[in-house]
mmCIF file of all heavy atoms in Angstrom:
data_model
loop_
_atom_site.group_PDB
_atom_site.id
_atom_site.type_symbol
_atom_site.label_atom_id
_atom_site.label_comp_id
_atom_site.label_asym_id
_atom_site.label_seq_id
_atom_site.Cartn_x
_atom_site.Cartn_y
_atom_site.Cartn_z
ATOM 1 N N SER A 2 -3.771 -11.125 -40.788
ATOM 2 C CA SER A 2 -2.461 -10.504 -40.593
ATOM 3 C C SER A 2 -1.680 -11.281 -39.538
ATOM 4 O O SER A 2 -2.247 -11.904 -38.658
ATOM 5 C CB SER A 2 -2.620 -9.052 -40.174
ATOM 6 O OG SER A 2 -3.268 -8.987 -38.930
ATOM 7 N N GLN A 3 -0.394 -11.214 -39.660
ATOM 8 C CA GLN A 3 0.471 -11.882 -38.688
ATOM 9 C C GLN A 3 1.033 -10.856 -37.721
ATOM 10 O O GLN A 3 1.344 -9.736 -38.104
ATOM 11 C CB GLN A 3 1.634 -12.573 -39.394
ATOM 12 C CG GLN A 3 1.249 -13.830 -40.098
ATOM 13 C CD GLN A 3 2.490 -14.545 -40.612
ATOM 14 O OE1 GLN A 3 3.517 -13.937 -40.861
ATOM 15 N NE2 GLN A 3 2.371 -15.848 -40.760
ATOM 16 N N MET A 4 1.136 -11.278 -36.476
ATOM 17 C CA MET A 4 1.732 -10.420 -35.465
ATOM 18 C C MET A 4 3.164 -10.872 -35.231
ATOM 19 O O MET A 4 3.447 -12.061 -35.180
ATOM 20 C CB MET A 4 0.952 -10.504 -34.150
ATOM 21 C CG MET A 4 -0.416 -9.886 -34.234
ATOM 22 S SD MET A 4 -1.400 -10.001 -32.724
ATOM 23 C CE MET A 4 -0.293 -9.538 -31.451
ATOM 24 N N THR A 5 4.038 -9.920 -35.113
ATOM 25 C CA THR A 5 5.430 -10.218 -34.832
ATOM 26 C C THR A 5 5.717 -9.788 -33.409
ATOM 27 O O THR A 5 5.439 -8.654 -33.035
ATOM 28 C CB THR A 5 6.354 -9.454 -35.802
ATOM 29 O OG1 THR A 5 5.998 -9.786 -37.128
ATOM 30 C CG2 THR A 5 7.806 -9.790 -35.534
ATOM 31 N N GLN A 6 6.252 -10.680 -32.625
ATOM 32 C CA GLN A 6 6.584 -10.342 -31.254
ATOM 33 C C GLN A 6 7.920 -9.623 -31.212
ATOM 34 O O GLN A 6 8.871 -10.017 -31.874
ATOM 35 C CB GLN A 6 6.655 -11.596 -30.389
ATOM 36 C CG GLN A 6 5.321 -12.240 -30.162
ATOM 37 C CD GLN A 6 5.439 -13.434 -29.224
ATOM 38 O OE1 GLN A 6 6.516 -13.947 -28.983
ATOM 39 N NE2 GLN A 6 4.305 -13.845 -28.697
ATOM 40 N N THR A 7 7.961 -8.576 -30.441
ATOM 41 C CA THR A 7 9.192 -7.819 -30.256
ATOM 42 C C THR A 7 9.488 -7.779 -28.767
ATOM 43 O O THR A 7 8.640 -7.403 -27.967
ATOM 44 C CB THR A 7 9.019 -6.375 -30.780
ATOM 45 O OG1 THR A 7 8.618 -6.421 -32.145
ATOM 46 C CG2 THR A 7 10.311 -5.608 -30.658
ATOM 47 N N LEU A 8 10.676 -8.167 -28.425
ATOM 48 C CA LEU A 8 11.097 -8.153 -27.037
ATOM 49 C C LEU A 8 11.834 -6.855 -26.765
ATOM 50 O O LEU A 8 12.791 -6.517 -27.449
ATOM 51 C CB LEU A 8 12.012 -9.347 -26.742
ATOM 52 C CG LEU A 8 12.582 -9.433 -25.333
ATOM 53 C CD1 LEU A 8 11.451 -9.601 -24.321
ATOM 54 C CD2 LEU A 8 13.557 -10.576 -25.235
ATOM 55 N N THR A 9 11.341 -6.108 -25.801
ATOM 56 C CA THR A 9 12.039 -4.887 -25.399
ATOM 57 C C THR A 9 12.491 -5.072 -23.963
ATOM 58 O O THR A 9 11.796 -5.675 -23.155
ATOM 59 C CB THR A 9 11.132 -3.644 -25.502
ATOM 60 O OG1 THR A 9 9.980 -3.855 -24.697
ATOM 61 C CG2 THR A 9 10.710 -3.399 -26.935
ATOM 62 N N THR A 10 13.641 -4.564 -23.663
ATOM 63 C CA THR A 10 14.155 -4.700 -22.306
ATOM 64 C C THR A 10 14.422 -3.328 -21.710
ATOM 65 O O THR A 10 14.739 -2.376 -22.412
ATOM 66 C CB THR A 10 15.456 -5.514 -22.276
ATOM 67 O OG1 THR A 10 16.426 -4.850 -23.071
ATOM 68 C CG2 THR A 10 15.232 -6.926 -22.786
ATOM 69 N N THR A 11 14.265 -3.261 -20.426
ATOM 70 C CA THR A 11 14.574 -2.051 -19.683
ATOM 71 C C THR A 11 15.830 -2.330 -18.893
ATOM 72 O O THR A 11 15.918 -3.364 -18.225
ATOM 73 C CB THR A 11 13.412 -1.710 -18.718
ATOM 74 O OG1 THR A 11 12.218 -1.594 -19.471
ATOM 75 C CG2 THR A 11 13.687 -0.420 -17.976
ATOM 76 N N PRO A 12 16.793 -1.438 -18.971
ATOM 77 C CA PRO A 12 18.026 -1.684 -18.209
ATOM 78 C C PRO A 12 17.708 -1.818 -16.728
ATOM 79 O O PRO A 12 16.828 -1.123 -16.211
ATOM 80 C CB PRO A 12 18.860 -0.419 -18.462
ATOM 81 C CG PRO A 12 18.209 0.292 -19.587
ATOM 82 C CD PRO A 12 16.805 -0.186 -19.679
ATOM 83 N N PRO A 13 18.367 -2.734 -16.038
ATOM 84 C CA PRO A 13 18.097 -2.906 -14.607
ATOM 85 C C PRO A 13 18.487 -1.656 -13.824
ATOM 86 O O PRO A 13 19.458 -0.983 -14.160
ATOM 87 C CB PRO A 13 18.966 -4.095 -14.214
ATOM 88 C CG PRO A 13 20.020 -4.157 -15.258
ATOM 89 C CD PRO A 13 19.431 -3.591 -16.507
ATOM 90 N N THR A 14 17.714 -1.366 -12.817
ATOM 91 C CA THR A 14 18.041 -0.240 -11.940
ATOM 92 C C THR A 14 18.248 -0.780 -10.537
ATOM 93 O O THR A 14 17.694 -1.808 -10.168
ATOM 94 C CB THR A 14 16.912 0.807 -11.914
ATOM 95 O OG1 THR A 14 15.731 0.176 -11.444
ATOM 96 C CG2 THR A 14 16.667 1.384 -13.289
ATOM 97 N N GLU A 15 19.038 -0.081 -9.777
ATOM 98 C CA GLU A 15 19.302 -0.509 -8.413
ATOM 99 C C GLU A 15 18.184 -0.112 -7.468
ATOM 100 O O GLU A 15 18.033 -0.681 -6.409
ATOM 101 C CB GLU A 15 20.630 0.075 -7.938
ATOM 102 C CG GLU A 15 21.814 -0.495 -8.675
ATOM 103 C CD GLU A 15 23.112 0.075 -8.158
ATOM 104 O OE1 GLU A 15 23.120 0.630 -7.049
ATOM 105 O OE2 GLU A 15 24.114 -0.046 -8.868
ATOM 106 N N GLU A 16 17.413 0.900 -7.855
ATOM 107 C CA GLU A 16 16.382 1.384 -6.966
ATOM 108 C C GLU A 16 15.072 1.585 -7.720
ATOM 109 O O GLU A 16 15.069 1.929 -8.895
ATOM 110 C CB GLU A 16 16.790 2.718 -6.338
ATOM 111 C CG GLU A 16 17.984 2.617 -5.431
ATOM 112 C CD GLU A 16 18.344 3.963 -4.826
ATOM 113 O OE1 GLU A 16 18.012 4.993 -5.422
ATOM 114 O OE2 GLU A 16 18.945 3.961 -3.755
ATOM 115 N N LEU A 17 13.993 1.371 -7.028
ATOM 116 C CA LEU A 17 12.665 1.655 -7.532
ATOM 117 C C LEU A 17 12.208 2.931 -6.840
ATOM 118 O O LEU A 17 12.347 3.068 -5.626
ATOM 119 C CB LEU A 17 11.718 0.496 -7.186
ATOM 120 C CG LEU A 17 10.243 0.703 -7.475
ATOM 121 C CD1 LEU A 17 10.024 0.817 -8.982
ATOM 122 C CD2 LEU A 17 9.446 -0.454 -6.920
ATOM 123 N N VAL A 18 11.691 3.883 -7.588
ATOM 124 C CA VAL A 18 11.243 5.145 -7.017
ATOM 125 C C VAL A 18 9.728 5.114 -6.883
ATOM 126 O O VAL A 18 9.013 4.863 -7.845
ATOM 127 C CB VAL A 18 11.683 6.336 -7.891
ATOM 128 C CG1 VAL A 18 11.143 7.640 -7.325
ATOM 129 C CG2 VAL A 18 13.190 6.369 -8.005
ATOM 130 N N VAL A 19 9.252 5.345 -5.664
ATOM 131 C CA VAL A 19 7.823 5.328 -5.380
ATOM 132 C C VAL A 19 7.422 6.731 -4.916
ATOM 133 O O VAL A 19 7.922 7.202 -3.897
ATOM 134 C CB VAL A 19 7.500 4.307 -4.271
ATOM 135 C CG1 VAL A 19 6.009 4.264 -3.995
ATOM 136 C CG2 VAL A 19 8.011 2.930 -4.659
ATOM 137 N N PRO A 20 6.533 7.403 -5.647
ATOM 138 C CA PRO A 20 6.152 8.757 -5.225
ATOM 139 C C PRO A 20 5.185 8.740 -4.048
ATOM 140 O O PRO A 20 4.349 7.848 -3.923
ATOM 141 C CB PRO A 20 5.475 9.327 -6.472
ATOM 142 C CG PRO A 20 4.964 8.133 -7.206
ATOM 143 C CD PRO A 20 5.915 7.013 -6.897
ATOM 144 N N PHE A 21 5.328 9.710 -3.169
ATOM 145 C CA PHE A 21 4.394 9.921 -2.073
ATOM 146 C C PHE A 21 3.483 11.073 -2.463
ATOM 147 O O PHE A 21 3.937 12.052 -3.045
ATOM 148 C CB PHE A 21 5.123 10.309 -0.783
ATOM 149 C CG PHE A 21 5.823 9.189 -0.094
ATOM 150 C CD1 PHE A 21 7.176 9.262 0.161
ATOM 151 C CD2 PHE A 21 5.127 8.073 0.329
ATOM 152 C CE1 PHE A 21 7.826 8.242 0.825
ATOM 153 C CE2 PHE A 21 5.773 7.046 0.999
ATOM 154 C CZ PHE A 21 7.124 7.128 1.242
ATOM 155 N N HIS A 22 2.217 10.968 -2.119
ATOM 156 C CA HIS A 22 1.259 12.029 -2.386
ATOM 157 C C HIS A 22 0.580 12.427 -1.082
ATOM 158 O O HIS A 22 0.327 11.596 -0.217
ATOM 159 C CB HIS A 22 0.215 11.577 -3.411
ATOM 160 C CG HIS A 22 0.830 11.296 -4.747
ATOM 161 N ND1 HIS A 22 1.130 12.298 -5.646
ATOM 162 C CD2 HIS A 22 1.242 10.144 -5.319
ATOM 163 C CE1 HIS A 22 1.677 11.767 -6.725
ATOM 164 N NE2 HIS A 22 1.762 10.452 -6.552
ATOM 165 N N CYS A 23 0.275 13.707 -0.965
ATOM 166 C CA CYS A 23 -0.333 14.268 0.231
ATOM 167 C C CYS A 23 -1.598 13.504 0.609
ATOM 168 O O CYS A 23 -2.442 13.214 -0.235
ATOM 169 C CB CYS A 23 -0.665 15.740 -0.019
ATOM 170 S SG CYS A 23 -1.482 16.566 1.359
ATOM 171 N N ASP A 24 -1.716 13.190 1.900
ATOM 172 C CA ASP A 24 -2.894 12.484 2.401
ATOM 173 C C ASP A 24 -4.152 13.346 2.359
ATOM 174 O O ASP A 24 -5.263 12.826 2.422
ATOM 175 C CB ASP A 24 -2.660 11.995 3.834
ATOM 176 C CG ASP A 24 -1.662 10.848 3.902
ATOM 177 O OD1 ASP A 24 -1.499 10.139 2.896
ATOM 178 O OD2 ASP A 24 -1.044 10.669 4.963
ATOM 179 N N ARG A 25 -4.011 14.647 2.251
ATOM 180 C CA ARG A 25 -5.173 15.550 2.229
ATOM 181 C C ARG A 25 -5.639 15.882 0.813
ATOM 182 O O ARG A 25 -6.822 15.913 0.556
ATOM 183 C CB ARG A 25 -4.853 16.851 2.973
ATOM 184 C CG ARG A 25 -4.607 16.686 4.442
ATOM 185 C CD ARG A 25 -5.843 16.269 5.202
ATOM 186 N NE ARG A 25 -6.834 17.328 5.117
ATOM 187 C CZ ARG A 25 -8.129 17.144 5.370
ATOM 188 N NH1 ARG A 25 -8.576 15.976 5.731
ATOM 189 N NH2 ARG A 25 -8.966 18.141 5.263
ATOM 190 N N CYS A 26 -4.691 16.158 -0.101
ATOM 191 C CA CYS A 26 -5.115 16.666 -1.414
ATOM 192 C C CYS A 26 -4.551 15.903 -2.609
ATOM 193 O O CYS A 26 -4.954 16.146 -3.736
ATOM 194 C CB CYS A 26 -4.758 18.143 -1.536
ATOM 195 S SG CYS A 26 -2.985 18.467 -1.648
ATOM 196 N N GLY A 27 -3.594 15.013 -2.395
ATOM 197 C CA GLY A 27 -3.040 14.240 -3.506
ATOM 198 C C GLY A 27 -1.854 14.889 -4.204
ATOM 199 O O GLY A 27 -1.289 14.307 -5.116
ATOM 200 N N ALA A 28 -1.465 16.096 -3.787
ATOM 201 C CA ALA A 28 -0.289 16.747 -4.380
ATOM 202 C C ALA A 28 0.973 15.998 -3.950
ATOM 203 O O ALA A 28 0.949 15.202 -3.011
ATOM 204 C CB ALA A 28 -0.215 18.205 -3.928
ATOM 205 N N LEU A 29 2.072 16.267 -4.633
ATOM 206 C CA LEU A 29 3.335 15.625 -4.288
ATOM 207 C C LEU A 29 3.727 15.985 -2.864
ATOM 208 O O LEU A 29 3.688 17.144 -2.466
ATOM 209 C CB LEU A 29 4.426 16.075 -5.262
ATOM 210 C CG LEU A 29 5.692 15.238 -5.284
ATOM 211 C CD1 LEU A 29 5.393 13.803 -5.684
ATOM 212 C CD2 LEU A 29 6.691 15.843 -6.240
ATOM 213 N N ALA A 30 4.070 14.980 -2.085
ATOM 214 C CA ALA A 30 4.377 15.184 -0.666
ATOM 215 C C ALA A 30 5.723 15.865 -0.478
ATOM 216 O O ALA A 30 6.667 15.611 -1.203
ATOM 217 C CB ALA A 30 4.370 13.855 0.066
ATOM 218 N N LYS A 31 5.783 16.712 0.528
ATOM 219 C CA LYS A 31 7.027 17.387 0.897
ATOM 220 C C LYS A 31 7.452 17.049 2.314
ATOM 221 O O LYS A 31 8.589 17.258 2.687
ATOM 222 C CB LYS A 31 6.862 18.907 0.779
ATOM 223 C CG LYS A 31 6.568 19.386 -0.624
ATOM 224 C CD LYS A 31 7.737 19.122 -1.527
ATOM 225 C CE LYS A 31 7.471 19.624 -2.927
ATOM 226 N NZ LYS A 31 8.514 19.259 -3.862
ATOM 227 N N VAL A 32 6.521 16.516 3.121
ATOM 228 C CA VAL A 32 6.798 16.219 4.524
ATOM 229 C C VAL A 32 6.196 14.864 4.890
ATOM 230 O O VAL A 32 5.068 14.564 4.525
ATOM 231 C CB VAL A 32 6.200 17.316 5.442
ATOM 232 C CG1 VAL A 32 6.366 16.956 6.908
ATOM 233 C CG2 VAL A 32 6.823 18.660 5.144
ATOM 234 N N ARG A 33 6.985 14.061 5.610
ATOM 235 C CA ARG A 33 6.507 12.778 6.132
ATOM 236 C C ARG A 33 6.536 12.867 7.647
ATOM 237 O O ARG A 33 7.547 13.241 8.233
ATOM 238 C CB ARG A 33 7.416 11.647 5.659
ATOM 239 C CG ARG A 33 7.026 10.303 6.190
ATOM 240 C CD ARG A 33 7.901 9.218 5.570
ATOM 241 N NE ARG A 33 7.675 7.972 6.256
ATOM 242 C CZ ARG A 33 8.614 7.278 6.882
ATOM 243 N NH1 ARG A 33 9.862 7.699 6.873
ATOM 244 N NH2 ARG A 33 8.315 6.162 7.487
ATOM 245 N N VAL A 34 5.423 12.542 8.274
ATOM 246 C CA VAL A 34 5.287 12.616 9.725
ATOM 247 C C VAL A 34 5.181 11.193 10.264
ATOM 248 O O VAL A 34 4.274 10.449 9.892
ATOM 249 C CB VAL A 34 4.023 13.421 10.119
ATOM 250 C CG1 VAL A 34 3.890 13.490 11.627
ATOM 251 C CG2 VAL A 34 4.062 14.811 9.496
ATOM 252 N N VAL A 35 6.128 10.798 11.106
ATOM 253 C CA VAL A 35 6.121 9.465 11.710
ATOM 254 C C VAL A 35 5.419 9.572 13.061
ATOM 255 O O VAL A 35 5.768 10.406 13.892
ATOM 256 C CB VAL A 35 7.553 8.918 11.886
ATOM 257 C CG1 VAL A 35 7.518 7.525 12.504
ATOM 258 C CG2 VAL A 35 8.284 8.910 10.549
ATOM 259 N N LEU A 36 4.419 8.715 13.274
ATOM 260 C CA LEU A 36 3.622 8.720 14.496
ATOM 261 C C LEU A 36 4.156 7.693 15.497
ATOM 262 O O LEU A 36 4.874 6.765 15.117
ATOM 263 C CB LEU A 36 2.167 8.425 14.145
ATOM 264 C CG LEU A 36 1.532 9.387 13.140
ATOM 265 C CD1 LEU A 36 0.138 8.920 12.757
ATOM 266 C CD2 LEU A 36 1.499 10.791 13.701
ATOM 267 N N PRO A 37 3.801 7.809 16.776
ATOM 268 C CA PRO A 37 4.274 6.866 17.792
ATOM 269 C C PRO A 37 3.935 5.407 17.470
ATOM 270 O O PRO A 37 4.675 4.501 17.847
ATOM 271 C CB PRO A 37 3.567 7.322 19.063
ATOM 272 C CG PRO A 37 3.282 8.765 18.856
ATOM 273 C CD PRO A 37 3.009 8.899 17.380
ATOM 274 N N SER A 38 2.861 5.165 16.765
ATOM 275 C CA SER A 38 2.463 3.801 16.421
ATOM 276 C C SER A 38 3.349 3.183 15.345
ATOM 277 O O SER A 38 3.277 1.988 15.079
ATOM 278 C CB SER A 38 1.014 3.795 15.930
ATOM 279 O OG SER A 38 0.923 4.513 14.701
#
Side-chain angles (χ1 to χ4, degrees):
S2 64
Q3 285 187 334
M4 291 178 46
T5 303
Q6 291 184 344
T7 304
L8 178 63
T9 57
T10 60
T11 304
T14 60
E15 293 181 18
E16 295 180 335
L17 172 66
V18 177
V19 181
F21 285 123
H22 296 279
C23 178
D24 289 336
R25 295 293 296 162
C26 69
L29 196 61
K31 297 294 181 186
V32 175
R33 178 175 170 239
V34 180
V35 181
L36 303 174
S38 66

